[in-house]
DNA sequence: AAATAAGTTTAGGCAAACCTAAAAAATATA
DNA sequence: TATATTTTTTAGGTTTGCCTAAACTTATTT
């Protein structure tokens, strides 16, 4: 399994939630910052290897095999993110690029020991669940802040957008995992929200409220 | 800088101590488990990049630039080895292969934080010095056990051979860094030595005594 | 010094993963 | 439905790093 193959499987895994009938070549190419022609080539290879279901012009989906491989990569990615945040003092937004490299290190023992060293964490620093060795993922029912109504309260359990600009914004506003968010007011015309966090009130745009997840 | 380029520079660094006039294509190919023709190609590229001194048929040597890059890779390798041994309970002989992968991760912050996390170690688990950020290496004057004479005593500070078979042998004999080794007897005909470690006497072959380093 | 052996480089290929441009298929629009 | 647009695939190229086989240097014998 090459780095590139692993990245394709991981990307398909992420994208197929929103495209359950098949992830299109163009979408995948955009996600991977690559070109559709390159994607076609690679998914044909992954199909021959028995990792994905590919039907020309119909997009691609992971099969059982491919999903397991993807989940193992995601497990490694999230364990490394946890290591970087908890042990090496990396901030929310610095984690991703390095974990993107570390996730491809090949050593079963390494990932087993890392898991133990970190105390068998269940979620990474962005609130995403860490799959276990068999590829099982704990599903947390979570809502976007945008789905709450004024008066409701939620606890921040994760984010959707993990771009550094968004994560830096959250840092500045002191919005962390576990933060309690209360909806004070919904501005009707642009769907922005006034929310209370740690006693402070602040305004979040619709883009922001759609990218922050809470549990009730 | 690609993985492959980094491996070449690191290998040349190791080999040029024994071949100060130039590391030959064949030696380098053997060390890298590659072929002479491949090596010629790569060192020509490294020469164009201004990292090595290459004269056709005369071998290759690192220049200042190349040496600094090599030392940075070695620094990363040895810090990761230390991490694996001290934090993840890897044994002496399991460390190398994983560190060989980890050394190529690109992130200045990562290596800086790892260094801090480990308490700024000066030596790796094999007793080799860890170069600092500027590429400075502490030189320890060390002797091979084979150079000691009966009655002399030394403290184990490192090994030469890092193959897993040798390291496993040392583990079995309970020879660790810091172990005090006293030469009891030198067998003249095969240069094997009877030594005392932790009160126990044991016999080491010449191959073994040449691959264990001690300071007096 | 000439012949042989050993080591090195050059030439030509291959696989992985990417690309652009052109052709083909699917989808949308008139 | 026929045409236009968008999407996808195919065809042909590029780069990196490796290979084998042949040509060429250098070193060693005799």
């Amino acid at each position: 399994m090459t780095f590139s193959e692993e990245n394709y499987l991981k990307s398909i895994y992420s994208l197929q939630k929103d495209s359950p009938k098949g992830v299109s070549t163009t979408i995948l190419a955009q996600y991977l910052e690559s070109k559709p022609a390159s994607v076609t080539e690679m998914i044909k290879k992954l199909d021959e290897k028995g990792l994905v279901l590919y039907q020309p012009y119909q997009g691609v989906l992971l099969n059982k095999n491919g999903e397991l491989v993807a989940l193992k990569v995601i497990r490694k990615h999230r364990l490394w993110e946890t290591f970087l945040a908890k042990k090496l003092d990396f901030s929310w937004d610095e984690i991703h690029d390095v974990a993107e490299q570390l996730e491809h290190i090949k050593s079963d023992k390494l990932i087993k020991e890392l898991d133990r060293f970190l105390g068998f964490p269940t979620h990474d620093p962005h609130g995403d669940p860490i799959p276990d060795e068999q590829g099982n993922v704990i599903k947390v029912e979570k809502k976007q802040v945008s789905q709450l109504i004024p008066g409701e309260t939620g606890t921040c359990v994760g984010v959707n957008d993990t771009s550094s600009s968004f994560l830096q914004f959250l840092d500045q506003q002191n919005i962390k995992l576990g933060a309690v968010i209360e909806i004070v007011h919904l501005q009707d015309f642009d769907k922005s929200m006034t929310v209370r966090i740690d006693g402070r009130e602040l305004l979040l745009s619709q883009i922001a409220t759609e990218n922050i997840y809470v549990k009730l």
Side-chain angles (χ1 to χ4, degrees), chain A residues 54-84:
Chain A
Y54 165 57
Q55 287 190 290
Y57 297 100
Q58 306 304 308
V60 66
L61 288 173
L62 297 180
N63 64 18
K64 265 276 139 57
N65 261 327
E67 186 167 297
L68 190 63
V69 175
L71 283 165
K72 282 186 176 173
V73 178
I74 290 166
R75 170 173 165 77
K76 291 199 273 182
H77 183 95
R78 293 184 179 163
L79 282 172
W80 279 118
E81 285 198 334
T82 307
F83 171 71
L84 295 174

Side-chain angles (χ1 to χ4, degrees), chain A residues 78 81-86 92 95 123-128 177:
Chain A
R78 293 184 179 163
E81 285 198 334
T82 307
F83 171 71
L84 295 174
K86 294 215 319 203
W92 246 15
I95 287 174
H123 292 78
D124 77 6
H126 302 120
D128 295 313
L177 290 189

Side-chain angles (χ1 to χ4, degrees), chain A residues 85-144:
Chain A
K86 294 215 319 203
K87 304 292 182 180
L88 299 196
D89 294 336
F90 274 58
S91 63
W92 246 15
D93 60 298
E94 295 171 316
I95 287 174
H96 192 263
D97 291 343
V98 181
E100 204 70 9
Q101 297 179 63
L102 287 163
E103 73 190 7
H104 300 296
I105 303 290
K106 277 153 193 66
S107 164
D108 288 344
K109 166 137 186 163
L110 176 61
I111 211 64
K112 204 166 184 166
E113 291 294 326
L114 185 64
D115 191 27
R116 184 193 50 70
F117 182 63
L118 296 171
F120 307 105
T122 57
H123 292 78
D124 77 6
H126 302 120
D128 295 313
I130 300 173
D132 69 15
E133 280 180 271
Q134 284 73 46
N136 304 307
V137 194
I138 306 159
K139 237 209 208 100
V140 239
E141 17 124 3
K142 57 189 181 187
K143 275 189 172 177
Q144 291 166 307

